[in-house]
Amino acid sequence: MNATTTSAALLDRLKPLGFQQAQAVRLNLAPAALVEEALRNGEGTLTDTGALMADTGQFTGRSPKDRFIVRDASTTDSVWWGDINIPFDAEKFDQLHAKMVAYLADKTLYVREAYAGAHPASQLKLRVVNELAWHNLFCYNMFLRPEAGADTSWLPDFSIICAPGFEADPAVDGTRQKNFAILNFTKKMILIGGTGYAGEMKKGIFGVLNYLLPHEQNTLPMHCSANVGEDGDTAIFFGLSGTGKTTLSADPRRGLIGDDEHGWLPGDGGVFNFEGGCYAKVIDLNPEKEPEIWNAIKFGAIVENTRFVPGTRTVDYANTSVTENTRTAYPLPFIPNAVEPSVASSPKNIFFLTADAFGVLPPISKLDKSHAMYHFLSGYTAKVAGTEMGITEPQTTFSACFGQVFLPLYPTQYAEMLGQKMDEHPDVHVWLVNTGWSGGSYGVGSRMKLAYTRAMITAALDGALNHTSFSQHPIFGVKIPSAVPGVPSRILDPRNTWQDPEAYDRTAAELAQKFVQNFQKFAAYANDDILAGAPKVAAAIAV
């Protein structure tokens, strides 16, 4: 259905969300129509490739401290409450909902009906109400699109009301400040206001699935990219920003299942993409390094918070005057090797990517079940922070399950599910890949060559590492291969690459201690299998 006028039938679809009137309802508009509306409304402009450039306003990223979950009978005993999942009063939610509906009553509403979850067994029917046309185009690109002619007059499993122009009154509405994103699992609704950052909608639904899938369907939600080989072998890639997840999962020899959010079904159900599109960073984007993303930015795609080369309509991807978090959103079919539908078999290989700026972790190592659960729960990488004098020190970053800010349930539940999946699929291989430093910490050592990392990934995918011997790291307990095709053997054991092996031992002990300190908040809830994957700090300190 592609309706552009207000009618009783259209409003009937919105009445369960509290809407009794609207100036107009634009239902399931095609991308071209949404672009026209956005341009007419002054919401953006076209680039020379035909993409729609739009700004998100004050907020150029998510606002985690303003994300709430309604605490009620259905969530009080199940949600991991705290700084990640901040409780919100149910009555305040109803009050805010009513105010948002009243705010939107005299405005044109852009309504999108879509799915989240490419596998029918775990699919959410969505209805999204947008104040902005370009936000509705974002939802068209990022969520799964019903087939042409499909009946979408459904009762949705979850709904989003997104009104950037509506601001809360913190003193009255119970929010921290004027912007907010609130999940209500009883009302099956997300309210987003006071922010134009479109990613709040995408990540809101990710949070919903992170709650519902493990809680109700024994399905593991994962913040990862996924691809599949010609033989049907699936690989998934976890990694925080700067670890190379996008680069390493982009492989012209393999089909792209998805770049960010997936589920792993019970038994032989396989994996599936939550989304129908990609939401990629474009800072310093160039056609040589990331040609797929470069070529996907065309008519129908969106670029956020970018700027033109002066005097042109050409995007200057090096321009950070608005934010470094410049992004593009486009449908998955804009990528030539995209897999449709976005489903595949259970993974044969799982990669945890880390950019270890301490130069301690091996460039590739194999994890048994306990170490896999422990490192999954740790979600480690190390970033480099500059100082005034140019002296830098690595800064550890731990994000549970490589996506802590999106976890409504206690993180150990997800780690335990990973262990269960490994039990169900004993042929799955889990690898820890260090794309960071070798030969010393940052400032002394050097970054691992991308060609070597690619060779290690290829060796794991092709099964070459199944025929080599392994040694155990004395501190972290992970297994280091003795040989990898195309990679110098001496760099496989990181201790061999340091000029001062004793300095390596001290640094490794220090990093192990950081792991243990981070893990203390989970220790009381972790089972014996997870605890067995911890580094041997006492032995390390004694070296």
Side-chain angles (χ1 to χ4, degrees), residues 194-270:
T195 173
Y197 185 66
E200 292 282 13
M201 294 182 285
K202 161 191 157 71
K203 291 304 186 184
I205 293 299
F206 186 32
V208 168
L209 289 167
N210 277 345
Y211 180 83
L212 295 177
L213 291 180
H215 199 54
E216 298 181 359
Q217 298 188 26
N218 194 30
T219 292
L220 174 63
M222 303 177 293
H223 188 209
C224 67
S225 58
N227 62 31
V228 60
E230 293 179 357
D231 296 331
D233 61 301
T234 301
I236 56 179
F237 298 79
F238 293 91
L240 302 178
S241 178
T243 60
K245 183 179 69 168
T246 300
T247 300
L248 292 170
S249 61
D251 187 336
R253 304 173 307 155
R254 300 174 65 83
L256 179 67
I257 304 167
D259 77 331
D260 198 41
E261 302 169 4
H262 296 82
W264 189 352
L265 290 158
D268 294 325

Side-chain angles (χ1 to χ4, degrees), residues 127-370:
R127 181 165 290 130
V128 186
V129 179
N130 293 121
E131 180 181 9
L132 300 178
W134 85 262
H135 272 191
N136 206 244
L137 177 61
F138 177 90
C139 292
Y140 174 89
N141 288 347
M142 294 309 305
F143 297 130
L144 290 153
R145 297 158 289 278
E147 293 183 5
D151 181 10
T152 57
S153 59
W154 53 48
L155 184 65
D157 298 310
F158 236 88
S159 298
I160 301 172
I161 301 175
C162 181
F166 175 84
E167 295 180 338
D169 180 348
V172 174
D173 297 319
T175 57
R176 186 179 72 98
Q177 48 187 25
K178 294 180 179 180
N179 63 299
F180 56 88
I182 311 172
L183 281 65
N184 189 325
F185 286 100
T186 298
K187 296 289 181 70
K188 302 183 184 304
M189 191 184 304
I190 301 174
L191 301 181
I192 301 171
T195 173
Y197 185 66
E200 292 282 13
M201 294 182 285
K202 161 191 157 71
K203 291 304 186 184
I205 293 299
F206 186 32
V208 168
L209 289 167
N210 277 345
Y211 180 83
L212 295 177
L213 291 180
H215 199 54
E216 298 181 359
Q217 298 188 26
N218 194 30
T219 292
L220 174 63
M222 303 177 293
H223 188 209
C224 67
S225 58
N227 62 31
V228 60
E230 293 179 357
D231 296 331
D233 61 301
T234 301
I236 56 179
F237 298 79
F238 293 91
L240 302 178
S241 178
T243 60
K245 183 179 69 168
T246 300
T247 300
L248 292 170
S249 61
D251 187 336
R253 304 173 307 155
R254 300 174 65 83
L256 179 67
I257 304 167
D259 77 331
D260 198 41
E261 302 169 4
H262 296 82
W264 189 352
L265 290 158
D268 294 325
V271 300
F272 63 95
N273 192 357
F274 288 172
E275 304 179 295
C278 299
Y279 192 38
K281 290 184 178 181
V282 295
I283 184 68
D284 293 326
L285 182 71
N286 69 69
E288 288 75 32
K289 289 185 177 180
E290 294 177 296
E292 294 87 1
I293 297 175
W294 180 273
N295 292 324
I297 302 176
K298 56 188 179 182
F299 184 79
I302 298 166
V303 283
E304 289 181 353
N305 299 316
T306 53
R307 288 294 178 264
F308 292 130
V309 174
T312 76
R313 292 272 177 162
T314 300
V315 178
D316 178 4
Y317 290 109
N319 189 317
T320 60
S321 61
V322 179
T323 177
E324 290 191 1
N325 189 35
T326 51
R327 288 184 176 268
T328 180
Y330 51 84
L332 198 61
F334 280 20
I335 297 293
N337 63 333
V339 175
E340 290 191 279
S342 303
V343 297
S345 61
S346 294
K348 295 292 185 184
N349 291 279
I350 299 173
F351 298 97
F352 296 159
L353 305 177
T354 180
D356 176 25
F358 292 93
V360 165
L361 294 177
I364 187 167
S365 53
K366 191 172 184 179
L367 309 184
D368 60 19
K369 175 184 168 184
S370 291

Side-chain angles (χ1 to χ4, degrees), residues 356 358-365 432 434 436-441 445-446 448 456 471-476 478-481 488-505 507-508 511:
D356 176 25
F358 292 93
V360 165
L361 294 177
I364 187 167
S365 53
L432 180 64
N434 176 17
W437 273 255
S438 179
S441 298
S446 57
M448 183 63 57
M456 289 182 270
S471 61
Q472 190 171 44
H473 192 281
I475 297 174
F476 286 92
V478 298
K479 297 176 181 177
I480 303 172
S489 296
R490 75 170 194 87
I491 74 169
L492 297 176
D493 185 339
R495 192 173 190 267
N496 295 338
T497 67
W498 283 54
Q499 289 187 355
D500 183 351
E502 292 184 357
Y504 172 84
D505 294 336
T507 306
L511 180 59

Side-chain angles (χ1 to χ4, degrees), residues 1 7 37 76 95 112 128 197 202 213 221 223 249 252 260 299 318 329 386 403 437 449 462 484 490 517-518:
M1 186 172 186
S7 68
E37 292 267 335
T76 188
Q95 172 182 298
R112 174 68 44 195
V128 186
Y197 185 66
K202 161 191 157 71
L213 291 180
H223 188 209
S249 61
D260 198 41
F299 184 79
W437 273 255
K449 291 183 178 180
D462 293 348
V484 177
R490 75 170 194 87
Q517 290 171 350
N518 170 72

